[in-house]
């Protein structure tokens, strides 16, 4: 069986997904940082900052 490698690169400040988007994949962060935030009362509220080895998006897939 052939093993395929799938990688996606995101630019600084680029949105990976937004609140309410349908989750169709999860990401393992290899390098850099990802900020998880929500808008609350017209302010950005940072929930978490994720880094190498962290998983992102798995709950969106589970929750659908």
């Amino acid at each position: 069986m052939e093993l395929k490698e799938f990688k996606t690169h995101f630019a600084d400040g680029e949105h990976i997904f937004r609140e309410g988007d349908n989750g169709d994949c999860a990401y393992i962060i290899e390098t850099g940082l990802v900020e998880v935030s929500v808008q609350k009362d017209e302010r950005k509220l940072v929930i978490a900052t994720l880094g190498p080895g962290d998983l992102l998006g798995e709950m969106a897939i589970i929750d659908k």
Side-chain angles (χ1 to χ4, degrees), residues 21-60:
D21 286 352
N22 289 328
D24 61 355
C25 62
Y27 302 91
I28 298 173
I29 301 167
E30 289 187 349
T31 61
L33 297 173
V34 174
E35 184 178 89
V36 180
S37 63
V38 295
Q39 287 293 122
K40 181 160 176 90
D41 300 325
E42 298 184 26
R43 291 184 13 200
K44 180 170 87 170
L45 176 62
V46 177
I47 297 172
T49 302
L50 306 174
D54 287 330
L55 187 61
L56 174 71
E58 78 284 5
M59 292 309 294

Side-chain angles (χ1 to χ4, degrees), residues 5-11 14 16 25-31:
E5 185 174 314
F6 296 96
K7 288 190 177 192
T8 303
H9 298 270
F10 296 95
E14 184 177 355
I16 298 171
C25 62
Y27 302 91
I28 298 173
I29 301 167
E30 289 187 349
T31 61

Side-chain angles (χ1 to χ4, degrees), residues 10-21:
F10 296 95
D12 289 348
E14 184 177 355
H15 288 97
I16 298 171
F17 55 85
R18 297 178 187 275
E19 187 175 1
D21 286 352

